[in-house]
Amino acid sequence: MSAETVSVTGWGRTAPTTSVLIRPRTYEEAAAAVRGCGARGGIARGLGRAYGDAAQNAGGTVLDMTALDRVHAVDAAGGVVSCDAGVSLHRLMEVLLPLGWFVPVTPGTRYVTVGGAIGADIHGKNHHVSGSFSRHVLSLELLTADGEIHTVPRGTPLFDATTGGMGLTGVILTATLQLQPVQTSLMTVDTERARDLDDLMARMTATDDLYRYSVAWIDLLARGTATGRAVLTRGDHAPLEALPKGKRARRQPLAFRPARLPAVPAVLPEGLLSRRTVGWFNEFWYRRAPRARTGELQTLSAFFHPLDGVPHWNRIYGRGGFVQYQFTVGHGREDTLRTIVRRLSEHRCPSFLAVLKRFGDGDPGWLSFPQPGWTLALDIPASLPGLGALLDSLDEDVATAGGRVYLAKDSRLRPELLAAMYPRLDDFRALRARLDPRGLFVSDLARRLDL
Amino acid sequence: MKDAFGIPQSLLVLGGTSEIALATARRLITRRTRTVWLAGRPSPALDRSADELRALGADVRTVAFDALDPESHEPVLGKVFAEGDIDMVLLAFGILGDQARDEREPLNAVRVAQTNYTGAVSAALVSACALQSQGHGSLVVLSSVAGERARRANFIYGSSKAGLDAFTQGLGDALHGTGVHVMVVRPGFVRSRMTADREEAPFATTPEAVATAIEVGLRRRSETVWVPGALRVVMSALRHVPRAVFRRLPV
């Protein structure tokens, strides 16, 4: 078990802090590391894709869980896998796809661990159909502050505090997941353009139920009547008969070979993503999309994880890093969504990644993010002048509308708004106080928001 | 903790009645700062400063601190850090002195040096050590353009700031990679109480402008901040002017 002092940030590369990084290779080592945490406590970390400060712990310990990465057992008939929490979704796909199974929920990257997926209760483009990750977790094992390992069944308070609990109830060691059957590793995809936000929302409301996966890319730099113009992409796993006969795809329908481009260099000039360059990109991206195209075959990685093909893509934001802002507002609160999109586009936020989705029913996690309604996520360079004040005022709108921002992506929320956004926050705090009275599990996020 | 824009939630001001420090605190309180410690010699002015910041909604506490008593720095500041994390320490104390009198009365000159340099060395090191064990935090030190090149008109003050500036740069290098961010702020002539009876120099600025520059510096994690920014260019030119010429310049 190695230990070194390192500077740690989230994927957005803002607010670095220094911790002792420990990389346990066995459950015993993990338990020993937890028991050995000093006064400033510890937090588990996976592949570091949380955008903000959820997996860093200033002056304390960070447990890098990626060495605990064994897939224990796959029930190929029933579609159940049990594995260590440090296994990435990428690895699961490599193992499971040839057997005809897919992870039930995947976010925009495969490079998240199962433990992180549970801790943030992640969602994907299929939330309106499949809910969040925790819905597919049959059970998990949790290393708690007393250094003991507990099996946590579904339907218990500890399960609901842990799914979406940002690692603050303990270290997730293993999980058993129910999988999604697939016939092929390709997707059939329908693409259409929406000329403005209202057009987009009407299309999504009317027909999202027909698709397992649905997502819209919005051009936030478009103004006036084009405000909120978008490209809507929806699809499902391709059935075997959809594959062209005689081609390699048909002979190896479950092959998984994601492409990888060269990494983004470590040092780039500042301001690469200015309003002008992002404006050009957005114009190109919108024009390039077909007005309407159906049944296109795409690889899994192209459909779900286009950015995974570019290692270290977060570096394009330069030294200053970036923030991701993701919020949700309920059905019937479309006015808030419209107001926010208008204000973002008036502020000329150079965001080339702004994504709108519809959420279905929420899951019972106390700090779980999804709730029925709409969710918008966007990346913005942290150096954009006035950004902090703008997002603060959007937070107010979101909270007033009964919505919330996503803790796995947060790096700047005002702590005062948290209780309004997460009504079960007090239950969460009470459970933590009982389970971990010394506050052993702590992160910069927890300190900042007083979780 | 600091947020993604480097704005602290808790602030410790060393030199709690400094106008620049208070302007900075006011600005930060409108953003994220909720807890402010004002360290200074107990005085009605210190209490007034605390009340003013309280009125903005911050939780403000004062603590008795004397730059001229370095031996007290460790226990006094230790107590502050023991109460909770400090995300930013603003070292803002300093005195201008009276150049003409100080040249005649060396003990007064020594007092300027002890306050601005010796006291700051001790307070900065104590703070840096505490920030380092937290694994995060910013130490922001108010230096001055006067430290960049000694001038006939105020070389006693200038030399003390030169020492402080060099010390802070070295400290910043020592702390690089520890999670602690050290930032030197070099304002030009600031219109304030300290300079009320002095003739205004070119590129004069205000405490509010310095506060704005500090906020931007925090966001960028800058190591050096000039206020106004144009002074960076002006001073780098002035630095290289031969002394025989510099002596005659009306600066």
Side-chain angles (χ1 to χ4, degrees):
Chain A
M1 187 162 60
S2 61
E4 52 174 339
T5 303
V6 292
S7 177
V8 182
T9 71
W11 190 242
R13 308 211 306 164
T14 56
T17 61
T18 306
S19 323
V20 176
L21 190 77
I22 294 185
R23 196 155 185 266
R25 284 174 309 230
T26 63
Y27 306 142
E28 291 72 32
E29 285 187 350
V34 164
R35 280 193 290 264
C37 283
R40 293 188 67 84
I43 192 77
R45 180 180 174 94
L47 288 162
R49 256 49 172 202
Y51 286 76
D53 48 7
Q56 57 195 72
N57 177 20
T61 303
V62 168
L63 280 84
D64 176 345
M65 300 300 291
T66 54
L68 283 165
D69 61 350
R70 283 163 300 174
V71 177
H72 294 286
V74 183
D75 172 0
V80 174
V81 63
S82 66
C83 62
D84 282 344
V87 173
S88 69
L89 298 193
H90 175 83
R91 178 75 192 130
L92 279 187
M93 287 174 204
E94 284 180 339
V95 171
L96 298 172
L97 269 166
L99 303 173
W101 296 98
F102 189 57
V103 292
V105 168
T106 174
T109 171
R110 299 185 299 280
Y111 298 106
V112 297
T113 61
V114 169
I118 295 170
D121 199 15
I122 58 163
H123 57 270
K125 302 177 186 19
N126 57 345
H127 190 276
H128 60 291
V129 175
S130 305
S132 57
F133 197 84
S134 64
R135 193 177 292 182
H136 312 272
V137 177
L138 301 177
S139 75
L140 58 89
E141 285 186 300
L142 188 70
L143 170 61
T144 49
D146 52 12
E148 305 291 324
I149 299 170
H150 303 269
T151 301
V152 184
R154 288 182 69 81
T156 57
L158 186 52
F159 187 90
D160 294 344
T162 301
T163 53
M166 306 310 293
L168 297 169
T169 57
V171 179
I172 301 168
L173 292 178
T174 69
T176 305
L177 311 174
Q178 179 67 55
L179 304 164
Q180 156 83 36
V182 292
Q183 292 181 1
T184 72
S185 62
L186 291 174
M187 307 294 296
T188 54
V189 182
D190 293 358
T191 307
E192 57 196 284
R193 279 197 231 166
R195 63 181 182 279
D196 60 30
L197 186 64
D198 284 333
D199 181 28
L200 173 68
M201 286 160 72
R203 286 168 193 254
M204 291 175 85
T205 307
T207 51
D208 255 11
D209 295 347
L210 306 176
Y211 296 91
R212 180 183 297 276
Y213 300 98
S214 167
V215 66
W217 169 88
I218 299 189
D219 178 3
L220 277 182
L221 283 172
R223 282 187 291 185
T225 54
T227 300
R229 70 177 179 179
V231 179
L232 183 54
T233 316
R234 297 181 291 185
D236 203 340
H237 298 281
L240 195 56
E241 63 268 19
L243 269 45
K245 289 201 176 70
K247 293 277 169 63
R248 190 171 77 163
R250 188 69 178 253
R251 290 196 299 274
Q252 296 177 313
L254 289 163
F256 179 57
R257 301 187 203 86
R260 238 166 128 80
L261 299 170
V264 175
V267 182
L268 282 175
E270 288 294 302
L272 217 53
L273 297 186
S274 65
R275 286 176 177 135
R276 176 171 303 176
T277 56
V278 173
W280 288 337
F281 171 85
N282 285 5
E283 189 67 36
F284 162 75
W285 201 251
Y286 181 76
R287 299 277 166 210
R288 166 187 172 278
R291 273 178 214 288
R293 178 173 60 198
T294 57
E296 183 197 6
L297 286 177
Q298 284 186 5
T299 62
L300 283 173
S301 48
F303 182 75
F304 288 108
H305 317 118
L307 282 170
D308 280 349
V310 189
H312 299 294
W313 65 260
N314 56 339
R315 288 175 180 162
I316 57 175
Y317 288 91
R319 231 174 59 96
F322 68 106
V323 296
Q324 176 154 101
Y325 189 60
Q326 181 166 5
F327 65 92
T328 174
V329 291
H331 293 300
R333 294 295 191 162
E334 284 77 9
D335 274 353
T336 304
L337 180 61
R338 283 191 196 95
T339 311
I340 292 177
V341 168
R342 202 186 60 239
R343 293 186 61 193
L344 286 166
S345 84
E346 276 166 3
H347 197 85
R348 314 287 292 134
C349 276
S351 178
F352 72 100
L353 266 184
V355 165
L356 185 71
K357 288 193 285 266
R358 275 162 71 83
F359 278 153
D361 290 340
D363 283 277
W366 292 350
L367 297 188
S368 180
F369 169 65
Q371 56 180 15
W374 300 86
T375 183
L376 179 68
L378 56 146
D379 290 346
I380 320 168
S383 57
L384 188 71
L387 182 61
L390 172 72
L391 296 182
D392 280 354
S393 91
L394 300 187
D395 286 342
E396 299 277 350
D397 294 351
V398 169
T400 307
R404 52 178 68 139
V405 301
Y406 191 8
L407 296 182
K409 299 191 171 175
D410 180 56
S411 54
R412 35 122 334 253
L413 179 68
R414 273 170 48 211
E416 297 91 281
L417 284 175
L418 195 69
M421 294 180 168
Y422 289 92
R424 300 214 58 183
L425 181 63
D426 283 341
D427 295 331
F428 182 78
R429 284 176 175 152
L431 180 135
R432 264 190 87 203
R434 256 194 337 273
L435 188 71
D436 179 11
R438 288 192 305 124
L440 189 143
F441 292 110
V442 65
S443 61
D444 290 356
L445 175 85
R447 285 198 185 91
R448 184 166 56 78
L449 295 178
D450 189 22
L451 286 174
Chain B
M1 299 304 303
K2 286 190 283 189
D3 70 4
F5 308 110
I7 307 293
Q9 288 179 315
S10 56
L11 168 69
L12 165 62
V13 176
L14 303 175
T17 55
S18 146
E19 281 174 80
I20 292 177
L22 291 172
T24 306
R26 280 198 300 274
R27 192 173 176 89
L28 295 177
I29 288 169
T30 61
R31 299 290 313 282
R32 277 294 177 286
T33 308
R34 293 293 170 268
T35 310
V36 182
W37 289 88
L38 293 183
R41 278 177 307 205
S43 70
L46 189 65
D47 294 334
R48 268 199 310 280
S49 306
D51 287 339
E52 186 209 333
L53 297 181
R54 254 179 226 123
L56 299 174
D59 172 16
V60 186
R61 280 170 271 183
T62 57
V63 54
F65 169 85
D66 185 353
L68 289 171
D69 182 12
E71 282 178 18
S72 71
H73 290 180
E74 206 149 6
V76 166
L77 299 180
K79 275 187 198 132
V80 173
F81 278 93
E83 295 275 318
D85 281 13
I86 298 289
D87 302 334
M88 168 172 163
V89 177
L90 177 56
L91 198 155
F93 60 78
I95 51 176
L96 197 50
D98 176 333
Q99 177 74 25
R101 188 195 62 192
D102 295 351
E103 281 177 35
R104 290 191 308 273
E105 300 171 15
L107 281 181
N108 276 319
V110 167
R111 201 176 140 80
V112 172
Q114 281 180 336
T115 307
N116 295 0
Y117 181 70
T118 319
V121 164
S122 143
L125 283 174
V126 170
S127 304
C129 194
L131 293 176
Q132 205 179 335
S133 55
Q134 282 179 185
H136 74 105
S138 287
L139 173 63
V140 180
V141 176
L142 289 188
S143 173
S144 167
V145 287
E148 190 70 0
R149 183 153 191 189
R151 291 192 294 138
R152 169 68 190 91
N154 68 355
F155 65 83
I156 295 174
Y157 171 80
S159 66
S160 72
K161 286 294 189 184
L164 173 63
D165 199 294
F167 167 80
T168 311
Q169 290 178 52
L171 184 62
D173 292 340
L175 292 177
H176 186 77
T178 64
V180 181
H181 162 225
V182 178
M183 183 162 92
V184 184
V185 181
R186 294 188 190 132
F189 183 97
V190 180
R191 293 181 204 109
S192 67
R193 258 191 339 262
M194 196 193 215
T195 59
D197 54 351
R198 297 191 183 238
E199 202 178 318
E200 199 165 287
F203 297 101
T205 184
T206 62
E208 287 71 26
V210 180
T212 308
I214 288 176
E215 191 192 330
V216 173
L218 288 170
R219 190 181 74 208
R220 293 185 181 156
R221 278 177 261 156
S222 307
E223 293 176 323
T224 316
V225 169
W226 296 83
V227 199
L231 278 176
R232 181 189 294 263
V233 183
V234 174
M235 289 312 295
S236 67
L238 278 183
R239 264 180 89 105
H240 297 99
V241 173
R243 275 185 60 191
V245 179
F246 188 75
R247 221 173 268 147
R248 292 194 196 104
L249 287 179
V251 291

